[in-house]
Amino acid sequence: MAKGQLPPCDSTQAADILTGLWLGFVNLEIKLGVRPPLTDIEMEERVKQGIENLLKILKT
């Protein structure tokens, strides 16, 4: 935000949204034991996608 790359926003809310994007429904499936834990590659991809989606949300 200080560099003008992101619009002003509530950082706590943004962190909550990003965490939700990272966890998604897969987190519940893992906790319920209906799917195995994410691999390192799957986790990296979810982080990448979550950040990209958060940036899109903040820019709208």
Side-chain angles (χ1 to χ4, degrees):
M1 284 185 286
K3 293 180 180 181
Q5 295 173 322
L6 292 174
C9 66
D10 179 331
S11 59
T12 302
Q13 182 183 29
D16 183 58
I17 292 168
L18 181 57
T19 302
L21 291 168
W22 282 339
L23 295 176
F25 191 70
V26 171
N27 185 52
L28 178 60
E29 292 175 324
I30 293 167
K31 287 181 178 182
L32 293 174
V34 296
R35 70 155 286 150
L38 297 172
T39 65
D40 288 346
I41 292 171
E42 290 172 319
M43 280 190 267
E44 288 176 19
E45 185 60 28
R46 288 185 72 82
V47 168
K48 179 183 169 190
Q49 289 177 353
I51 291 170
E52 288 175 1
N53 287 324
L54 177 64
L55 292 175
K56 288 177 188 175
I57 290 167
L58 291 175
K59 291 180 180 182
T60 60

